[in-house]
Amino acid sequence: MAVVARIRKGAYHDSVALLQVQRALRELPGVEEAGVVMGTPANLALLREAGLDAPDLQHAGPDDLVAVVRARTEPEAVRALERLDELLAHRAGTQQADYRPRSVRTAVRALPGANLAVVSVPGRFAAGVAEEALREGLHVFLFSDNVAVAEEVRLKRLATERGLLVMGPDCGTAVVAGTGLGFANGLRRGPVGIVAASGTGLQEVACLVHRLGVGVSHALGTGSRDLSEEVGGATFITALLALAEDPLTEVIVLLSKPPSPQVATRVLRVARGCSKPVVVSFLGAQPAGAWEGLHFATTLEEAAYLAVRLLGREIPERADPTPEPLAWAPGQRWVRGLFAGGTLCVEAQVILRPRLGRVWSNVPLTEQARLPDPLVSREHTVVDLGSDEFTVGRLHPMLDPSVRNLRLLHEAQDPEVAVILADVVLGYGAHPDPAGELARAWEDALRRSGRKLVCVTSVCGTELDPQPYPEQVRRLREAGIVVAPSNAAAARVAAALCGAQAPSAFPQWLPAVEVPEPVPIHRPSSEPVRRLLSGTPRVVNVGLESFAQSLQAQGVPVVSVDWRPPAPGDPELLDLLARLGG
């Protein structure tokens, strides 16, 4: 075997383009494996883990394009890499067949009536792009992660001053007036409105509501840190006020991982002043008693069912799959959860912990259960593979499942592992066949392990998704994977397979939510927010081309910016531009 690398200094390409070039290299004669990434430390570590180590990697920086090929012979590896520039040029030509503006300002001029920017550039550049969009009068859907908290606070203050909405950073999903942004699902419109400081939490509740025969008016993501003490719920409260007066919304659902208690109190005071019923799921946090107008749910699954019941709809009884009990080998007892969705990972812990005891994680319920090293599991472990430490400079696992596939193979080799727990998330912008990817990885893991293992999953999606829900479920079951109707149900099945008993009640390992007196809602939402929710968005896309393509498939007017990093590879120039406001 021969491993050969090529480094292109300061050559930026978006992660979807690099993934497609990587796949093309893998198909060339003699090539066994290939990696094409930006040279961030996390990406270089993953290349080495995949057997793509080369001496040249030590010279790569985060703004450099890195391509590595492992082939049968060195000449075959060199010939494959000689195609790199051709493949990159072909991809660039495909993306840029038409004229593209080079800035948000020129894009706004090219799209009359533009009112929303979708931003998915690398995190260290994202705040600057978002600020430009706000100053051009655009609401912002900020998909980018790895944005500093101070920058988020600054952007949301600017948005408040201008009556605009900043959904993000690290906002994976939103649905605005029926238009899906980011990883949104195909949903019918209806009376349930959602505000969520969680992407896959929003998707899970919206899809369950849809599959229960109801629909969604709007589903507004806020970014995962919006309910932190530093950010103060700025977008969350703005979105709640907008849904409170939205004529299509009859029931409001509020979703988050456990928030700051002080910010939760602020949000719930506003929620209690709303004339519409409000369902609250702060994943594991419980109130001390019942409160008029607020309905608390411990899980995302329960939140969806509560919302539908509050509309007076009859719903079927929930039933978890009951796989045949297995005779495990001595010592085989652990659950290992591998999640693309961070909130689904947290919900799994809410289910597993009272049944199995401590569950380790990189996004734990308590600091005592934090994994010392996210790359190394111990005992019962569930990992959010979409967390920042896994996504710096590379695609989210909902777009590129390769990181989970490698981790699954590794976990299956541990003789003490009994159950693999995973999620499959469908939707616009997501991988075209996530179930197929998981099924192939699982079949490979079973062949290599040579022992009994069970994989339990759920599919977050609908029949209206680009990857239709029924077909994805069928593919998983063909591979022998147990498919549950919800993420919470999958976690219950995984615990039961390890011999756990259902708890009589959820223990209060998280602080109880204090619900104060209501604050009557006097402040209406801003005119720009009302206009956004009442009509089809007109979008300026800056970053991942796949997001523009999904918007076009929904019939949404969109203009893509031909974005490039400013002063690529030169930290001093970047600092100077920032100080000059460039």
Side-chain angles (χ1 to χ4, degrees):
M1 290 297 117
V3 178
V4 180
R6 293 287 184 270
I7 297 174
R8 300 281 190 270
K9 290 290 184 181
Y12 173 79
H13 295 268
D14 84 50
S15 300
V16 172
L18 297 185
L19 178 62
Q20 293 176 342
V21 171
Q22 175 176 287
R23 288 170 177 166
L25 285 175
R26 286 173 176 167
E27 295 174 359
L28 296 177
V31 174
E32 289 204 345
E33 183 59 281
V36 185
V37 296
M38 300 305 293
T40 66
N43 279 346
L44 298 179
L46 287 167
L47 288 176
R48 294 183 178 105
E49 187 178 331
L52 294 172
D53 199 0
D56 290 346
L57 295 188
Q58 63 183 315
H59 304 299
D63 294 303
D64 300 335
L65 173 64
V66 177
V68 189
V69 166
R70 186 175 73 238
R72 290 175 302 190
T73 66
E74 185 169 342
E76 287 175 315
V78 171
R79 281 196 294 272
L81 285 171
E82 286 173 349
R83 299 281 307 279
L84 177 63
D85 291 332
E86 172 194 339
L87 293 169
L88 287 168
H90 173 73
R91 174 64 187 168
T94 300
Q95 288 189 349
Q96 300 176 22
D98 302 320
Y99 163 77
R100 293 192 175 195
R102 297 297 297 271
S103 70
V104 173
R105 176 174 294 180
T106 52
V108 168
R109 292 171 182 164
L111 182 64
N115 59 2
L116 176 67
V118 173
V119 179
S120 55
V121 302
R124 63 190 185 282
F125 305 111
V129 176
E131 180 176 352
E132 183 185 1
L134 290 171
R135 294 194 183 279
E136 290 297 323
L138 304 182
H139 304 278
V140 175
F141 175 83
L142 185 48
F143 177 83
S144 308
D145 55 9
N146 294 289
V147 176
V149 175
E151 294 285 3
E152 178 174 353
V153 171
R154 183 176 63 82
L155 289 172
K156 290 182 174 178
R157 283 178 180 164
L158 178 61
T160 299
E161 291 169 5
R162 294 171 176 249
L164 298 171
L165 196 61
V166 173
M167 295 173 276
D170 194 26
C171 184
T173 307
V175 180
V176 176
T179 295
L181 306 175
F183 295 133
N185 300 93
L187 302 166
R188 72 173 63 86
R189 294 207 72 181
V192 177
I194 303 172
V195 183
S198 59
T200 48
L202 183 157
Q203 288 184 265
E204 177 79 348
V205 170
C207 290
L208 289 173
V209 164
H210 175 98
R211 299 207 305 263
L212 289 169
V214 184
V216 172
S217 56
H218 312 279
L220 304 178
T222 69
S224 57
R225 296 185 305 219
D226 195 76
L227 293 183
S228 67
E229 190 62 30
E230 298 91 336
V231 183
T235 298
F236 210 95
I237 292 173
T238 298
L240 171 55
L241 290 170
L243 293 185
E245 65 180 22
D246 177 62
L248 296 180
T249 302
E250 298 176 27
V251 173
I252 300 172
V253 181
L254 308 181
L255 305 172
S256 177
K257 301 168 190 174
S260 154
Q262 294 83 359
V263 179
T265 298
R266 193 177 310 148
V267 168
L268 294 175
R269 289 184 73 194
V270 176
R272 289 198 71 200
C274 179
S275 61
K276 301 174 182 179
V278 178
V279 176
V280 181
S281 179
F282 289 159
L283 282 186
Q286 286 290 302
W291 299 88
E292 184 180 353
L294 299 183
H295 307 266
F296 286 83
T298 303
T299 65
L300 302 170
E301 176 191 63
E302 186 182 352
Y305 275 71
L306 260 176
V308 173
R309 285 197 191 99
L310 287 168
L311 292 166
R313 309 292 179 90
E314 291 187 7
I315 56 178
E317 290 293 324
R318 286 173 279 184
D320 295 346
T322 53
E324 292 294 324
L326 294 179
W328 301 114
Q332 193 178 5
R333 51 183 172 160
W334 305 128
V335 173
R336 297 286 161 81
L338 306 176
F339 286 86
T343 307
L344 300 182
C345 181
V346 172
E347 183 186 39
Q349 294 174 69
V350 170
I351 299 292
L352 294 173
R353 176 166 171 165
R355 292 165 167 82
L356 298 176
R358 181 163 58 184
V359 178
W360 296 91
S361 180
N362 61 329
V363 287
L365 293 175
T366 63
E367 282 303 308
Q368 291 74 21
R370 183 173 295 280
L371 276 175
D373 182 351
L375 298 176
V376 181
S377 298
R378 52 167 64 181
E379 301 171 343
H380 297 300
T381 293
V382 296
V383 179
D384 171 17
L385 295 168
S387 191
D388 285 1
E389 62 265 33
F390 292 103
T391 59
V392 175
R394 70 173 298 116
L395 285 173
H396 192 280
M398 280 188 243
L399 279 161
D400 178 12
S402 58
V403 171
R404 177 160 71 181
N405 294 348
L406 288 171
R407 184 73 174 251
L408 192 155
L409 291 172
H410 176 75
E411 300 288 3
Q413 300 305 308
D414 185 338
E416 294 187 327
V417 170
V419 177
I420 300 291
L421 177 61
D423 58 348
V424 172
V425 185
L426 314 181
Y428 295 104
H431 190 280
D433 184 21
E437 286 284 331
L438 179 60
R440 285 186 288 273
W442 175 245
E443 290 162 347
D444 190 16
L446 284 180
R447 283 193 297 269
R448 296 191 189 193
S449 71
R451 59 192 172 84
K452 291 179 179 178
L453 285 167
V454 176
C455 182
V456 182
T457 189
S458 66
V459 178
C460 177
T462 77
E463 79 284 359
L464 301 180
D465 282 324
Q467 324 85 337
Y469 176 87
E471 295 178 15
Q472 294 283 293
V473 170
R474 176 184 54 78
R475 178 66 182 95
L476 293 166
R477 287 176 174 159
E478 286 175 351
I481 295 172
V482 178
V483 182
S486 69
N487 182 65
R492 290 193 294 266
V493 172
L497 284 167
C498 290
Q501 299 298 314
S504 56
F506 285 92
Q508 293 301 314
W509 62 82
L510 294 173
V513 177
E514 294 294 333
V515 184
E517 290 302 309
V519 172
I521 296 177
H522 298 300
R523 177 165 63 95
S525 60
S526 70
E527 180 60 28
V529 172
R530 287 197 295 273
R531 286 200 305 267
L532 178 69
L533 299 188
S534 63
T536 300
R538 298 176 67 82
V539 178
V540 172
N541 182 65
V542 192
L544 295 175
E545 183 64 18
S546 59
F547 286 169
Q549 292 167 353
S550 72
L551 288 166
Q552 289 165 346
Q554 298 175 72
V556 174
V558 57
V559 169
S560 290
V561 173
D562 183 15
W563 183 85
R564 293 288 182 273
D570 192 327
E572 293 183 4
L573 272 179
L574 281 172
D575 180 63
L576 177 61
L577 285 172
R579 285 187 279 116
L580 292 173

